Every structure is written in structure tokens, then in C-alpha cells.
Amino acid sequence: MSELRIAVVGAGLMGADHIIRIQKRIVGAEVTAVVEPDEGRAKAALENAPAAKWFPNIEAAIAAKAMDAVLIATPGQFHEPVLVPAIEAGLPILCEKPLTPDAVSSRAIVDLEVAKGKQLIQVGFMRRFDQGYINLRELIASGKQGELLGLHCAHRNPAVPDTYHNDMLIFDSVVHEIDIVRFLTDSRIKSIEVKHMRRNKLSPEKLNEPILALLETEDGVLATVEMNVSVQFGYQVKTEAVFQKGIAEIGRTAGMNTFFDGQIATEEHMSFKTRFAAAYDTQIQRWVDATKLGKIDGPSAWDGYLAAAAVEAGVEALRSGNKVQVVYTVKPSLYNS
Ligand code: ISE
């Protein structure tokens, strides 16, 4: 296969960014379909993919055989109705995180994939392709600095869109730490507790944040996560790892430092689109290459399900103030390799 024909589903913030990425930077793929119910958004997206066709829903794109693979970039609560027909059609899928917002619907997706007998889905946990996280994972696995004892994670957004509501603090945002803590430690999340900092009066009224989520892994590593979506000044994702023999830190913005007018300044990111641009590029290139070989090359639907199970505990912890244990179902053998 020369060019992988991709249908991008959802032409909002992330979908539009992926369309430009595929058209400009990814080798061996092209956007041939844009699936988007909103005509204005679809038209804007098509300007960056003039050869692509517009479809109002995934069923129409499947019926027209408009693609070899699907990239789902709608908000998480709308993934399931796209995933189901795409899996039934046997199409390879890159699905933005979260796979779905809760454990039952994620498990249903896993079961559907198992019934097909093939791993079709890769989940877009792009942090796994970020060099900082990769280096930290290697350091932890090497044991050079002794055992990992704990992690401090800061996940800060300048602001969030109007559609963002309180549970999204967990299922849309902390879900990244839920996955990456497991990636770093090779251990599943065992329990979650959520504390509230003093509420930021600059947050939208419906949000009660920043929060501090405490994720405990089955191996006894405690990760603290400051989730802050109204920090105003910039987009910042940092992790500090506490080892027996010292500390490792990743995620500090590296760029030009300026020394003018009695001030030292470094430009900070304002969005995940630039903070993780290189990780998104690598993720999508590897997915394209793997898809051509009939494989996935990144987090699977099972990883998506494990995150969803922990998210469910996290949402309950957020609402109740209790420490909540995560409940997992049995892993199907399809995901053993
Ligand atoms: C958003 O959906 C993302 O995935 C970003 O990486 C995260 O920082 C943000 O909090 C989410 O809303």
C-alpha cells in the first residue's frame, strides 16, 4: 500500500490539528475523508485537505469506502458510536484519549475487538511518545538510582473551553497521568483519592479546582497529581520522580532564555498542541507505519480500558471525597503479546 487513506472523524481543535499534521508532516498517508456533522467546521478542515471528501457521519464514509483507516478526534463521550461501526467494518483505528469515559463502555469496545479476533485500535495517549517520559521510564527500569518511591505530577492548562465540566478534570485530563503513571511504573493504579486546593476564583463557576489526585499503584508507588485547568499563565506538564538515591525531573520548558530589562524570561507553551507536537507527530507516523503492516504500535484498547476503569474510580473519588479502589475485569488473551 502506498498512501494510507485516513478518515479523520471530528474536525474540532484536535481533529483540525491532526489533518494538518497528516497532510504536511506524516509520510505515507493522506486525509481522504473528513467526518464532521458541522458543515462550517468541515469546510474549514477541507481547506487543508482539498482532495478529501466530507461525510456527515462515519456510516456514510464506510459505505463510500472512503478510507483504509480511521482517526477519531471527537470528544471522548462521542467515541463509542464511531468506534462500533469502524470495528465492525474491520478498519484500523487511532482513537484519541479517553477510549470512552467509563469502564463499562470501554470493556464493551474491548469485547467487540476480541470478537473480531484482531487488535484494530490504538489509543492516543501521546505522552508515551514524548522523549522526556521515554527517558524517565528507562531510568526507572534501569534501577540505577535505586527503587522509584513516588512521583509528583503537575498538569496545568491556562484555561478550558465552555464545554469542559467538573468530571472532565478526571476523564479528560487526569486520564493522561492515569495512563502515564502505569507506563512509567509498569504497575496498574490501585486506588485514587482526590483533595481540593483552595478554589481558584478565576475558574469557570461550574468547576471546583485545582485538585490534587493521589494515585497509588499496585506496586506501592504514590503519585501526586496537581490538576489545574485555570492557571492562566501557560500550558505546563511536568513530572518529578523520587528515587532512593535522588530525583529526576522532566517537562521543564526548554527554549530561549532572555535577559532583558532586569528580567530573566523563558517562553512557555500555551497549549498541548505545541507542548506535545513532537509526540503527536511520532505517534501518528508510527501508527501509519504499523497500520500498513496490519499491526498497532502504541497503547491498545486494553490500555484504554485499564485507564477507563481507573477514571471511574477517580470520578467517584472526586465526587465523594473518599479513597476509591479501582476494579478491573479479566484481561482477554488477545492482549497478551
Ligand atoms: C485535553 O483534552 C487534553 O488531552 C490535554 O492534553 C489536557 O492537558 C487537557 O486537560 C484536556 O482537556
Side-chain angles (χ1 to χ4, degrees):
M1 184 191 301
S2 48
E3 296 286 286
L4 184 76
R5 299 176 311 137
I6 300 177
V8 175
V9 184
L13 191 66
M14 208 60 244
D17 196 46
H18 284 324
I19 289 172
I20 295 172
R21 164 169 295 108
I22 293 166
Q23 295 299 97
K24 296 213 164 132
R25 295 197 290 283
I26 300 301
V27 178
E30 60 180 333
V31 178
T32 51
V34 172
V35 179
E36 167 62 60
D38 184 288
E39 191 176 349
R41 266 194 202 171
K43 280 193 173 147
L46 287 171
E47 280 178 21
N48 292 307
K53 292 211 173 82
W54 170 46
F55 297 92
N57 56 57
I58 183 76
E59 288 80 1
I62 292 172
K65 298 193 179 1
M67 68 287 208
D68 308 312
V70 181
L71 193 164
I72 304 176
T74 55
Q77 59 273 35
F78 305 122
H79 288 175
E80 198 182 1
V82 180
L83 281 164
V84 171
I87 298 168
E88 279 167 353
L91 288 163
I93 301 160
L94 178 67
C95 180
E96 271 297 340
K97 49 52 61 178
L99 180 60
T100 70
D102 65 87
V104 170
S105 55
S106 280
R107 178 72 215 204
I109 293 298
V110 161
D111 290 340
L112 198 60
E113 191 178 57
V114 169
K116 270 273 165 193
K118 186 169 182 220
Q119 290 197 42
L120 293 167
I121 304 169
Q122 184 170 325
V123 180
F125 285 122
M126 78 298 186
R127 290 190 186 181
R128 292 184 181 216
F129 299 89
D130 174 80
Q131 200 54 50
Y133 284 113
I134 293 168
N135 294 345
L136 183 55
R137 182 173 200 257
E138 281 169 12
L139 181 63
I140 294 169
S142 75
K144 272 191 211 147
Q145 304 302 340
E147 259 192 322
L148 176 74
L149 309 176
L151 295 161
H152 295 295
C153 311
H155 183 169
R156 301 177 177 131
N157 296 183
V160 275
D162 285 349
T163 47
Y164 194 98
H165 58 79
N166 218 50
D167 286 354
M168 289 172 82
L169 288 165
I170 305 293
F171 83 70
D172 199 54
S173 298
V174 175
V175 66
H176 281 294
E177 277 74 17
I178 285 175
D179 179 68
I180 211 70
V181 167
R182 192 179 133 247
F183 174 74
L184 290 172
T185 61
D186 263 334
S187 179
R188 300 188 306 188
I189 308 297
K190 188 170 110 187
S191 70
I192 306 195
E193 192 177 352
V194 177
K195 301 274 183 201
H196 287 87
M197 292 187 177
R198 173 180 283 167
R199 187 176 174 280
N200 184 350
K201 295 194 183 74
L202 299 174
S203 298
E205 237 169 70
K206 59 187 166 184
L207 301 183
N208 184 4
E209 57 97 25
I211 56 169
L212 193 64
L214 304 176
L215 316 182
E216 197 186 346
T217 70
E218 289 174 340
D219 280 353
V221 170
L222 186 69
T224 65
V225 181
E226 178 198 322
M227 190 64 241
N228 187 333
V229 297
S230 310
V231 79
Q232 316 289 315
F233 86 95
Y235 184 92
Q236 196 177 58
V237 171
K238 295 193 300 182
T239 302
E240 208 177 81
V242 183
F243 292 88
Q244 281 179 292
K245 300 186 201 165
I247 308 291
E249 188 197 41
I250 58 163
R252 245 187 223 221
T253 301
M256 180 163 65
N257 292 321
T258 56
F259 304 79
F260 292 119
D261 302 324
Q263 289 192 346
I264 303 176
T266 311
E267 207 175 317
E268 182 56 284
H269 292 284
M270 290 306 290
S271 161
F272 48 88
K273 289 201 298 184
T274 56
R275 166 66 177 84
F276 289 108
Y280 284 121
D281 285 356
T282 308
Q283 167 187 256
I284 297 206
Q285 187 65 63
R286 283 181 42 185
W287 172 67
V288 164
D289 296 345
T291 298
K292 290 182 177 179
L293 301 172
K295 298 195 280 196
I296 64 165
D297 186 8
S300 66
W302 183 247
D303 295 307
Y305 161 75
L306 291 181
V311 156
E312 198 155 299
V315 170
E316 195 187 327
L318 176 76
R319 290 179 182 169
S320 67
N322 297 331
K323 176 170 166 178
V324 180
Q325 304 295 319
V326 185
V327 180
Y328 297 106
T329 53
V330 177
K331 184 178 179 182
S333 58
L334 181 67
Y335 304 101
N336 279 344
S337 60

